Amino acid sequence: MEQLLSHDRPLKSYFIPILYTLGGVFFASLGAFIEESSIVFGFTLGLVVIGPVIEEVLKPFGVVVLLEKGALYLRSKSHVFWLCITSGLVFSLIENLLYTYVYLLPYFKYPHLYMETLIYRYTVCILLHIFTTSIMAIGLMRQFDVVKK
């Protein structure tokens, strides 16, 4: 079956993992938005603990689903790793766009502060999301070996 996927339908075997990865990013964005808009556990606990946990668990959710389906579309451990990194990068870019065009608009009248925040968001925050997702990717790479056996 694996040879059938990789030789007869190469486009499908490349696009299915990307679609699942973007689906995980969608659920992570949705989960973070719902968590941040509700103050069930208190503002500080929700903002500092629960929000990041939801984000980090849901970002590579598409890769987890692919692994659970039997890893038919996953080629190697490095493929799992790069799909997870892609989910972290796309999530951070979506989050940065949200901060840039929604949350930070009141600060646009202070150009110096606005630019410092943008530089911080597009450097530190992107690297942080990629790094934290890579930790989860290492665990999923180990799971790939278990599934492929």
Side-chain angles (χ1 to χ4, degrees), residues 74-124:
L74 298 173
R75 301 180 186 286
S76 64
K77 289 164 76 170
S78 64
H79 192 209
V80 171
F81 181 79
W82 287 110
L83 287 173
C84 289
I85 294 301
T86 302
S87 71
L89 177 64
V90 171
F91 179 84
S92 66
L93 290 174
I94 291 171
E95 186 181 63
N96 285 340
L97 289 173
L98 179 70
Y99 272 92
T100 301
Y101 293 108
V102 176
Y103 297 143
L104 295 178
L105 275 182
Y107 298 104
F108 190 68
K109 56 187 169 189
Y110 308 109
H112 182 68
L113 179 63
Y114 186 75
M115 286 308 295
E116 284 180 1
T117 306
L118 285 182
I119 290 169
Y120 177 79
R121 294 242 23 115
Y122 281 93
T123 56
V124 174

Side-chain angles (χ1 to χ4, degrees), residues 10-148:
L11 287 178
K12 186 177 180 182
S13 67
Y14 285 112
F15 287 121
I16 293 293
I18 292 171
L19 287 175
Y20 273 85
T21 300
L22 294 177
V25 170
F26 171 76
F27 284 116
S29 301
L30 183 65
F33 177 74
I34 290 171
E35 186 281 325
E36 287 179 5
S37 64
S38 66
I39 307 178
V40 175
F41 297 104
F43 182 72
T44 306
L45 182 64
L47 187 66
V48 175
V49 177
I50 297 172
V53 168
I54 290 172
E55 289 177 8
E56 298 312 318
V57 168
L58 290 178
K59 276 189 281 188
F61 185 69
V63 180
V64 171
V65 171
L66 281 174
L67 281 170
E68 287 296 319
K69 285 187 157 198
L72 290 175
Y73 294 105
L74 298 173
R75 301 180 186 286
S76 64
K77 289 164 76 170
S78 64
H79 192 209
V80 171
F81 181 79
W82 287 110
L83 287 173
C84 289
I85 294 301
T86 302
S87 71
L89 177 64
V90 171
F91 179 84
S92 66
L93 290 174
I94 291 171
E95 186 181 63
N96 285 340
L97 289 173
L98 179 70
Y99 272 92
T100 301
Y101 293 108
V102 176
Y103 297 143
L104 295 178
L105 275 182
Y107 298 104
F108 190 68
K109 56 187 169 189
Y110 308 109
H112 182 68
L113 179 63
Y114 186 75
M115 286 308 295
E116 284 180 1
T117 306
L118 285 182
I119 290 169
Y120 177 79
R121 294 242 23 115
Y122 281 93
T123 56
V124 174
C125 293
I126 287 177
L127 291 174
L128 181 68
H129 279 291
I130 290 173
F131 177 73
T132 56
T133 306
S134 69
I135 294 171
M136 183 91 154
I138 292 169
L140 292 176
M141 287 168 54
R142 290 182 182 170
Q143 187 63 28
F144 178 80
D145 287 338
V146 173
V147 171
K148 282 295 189 177

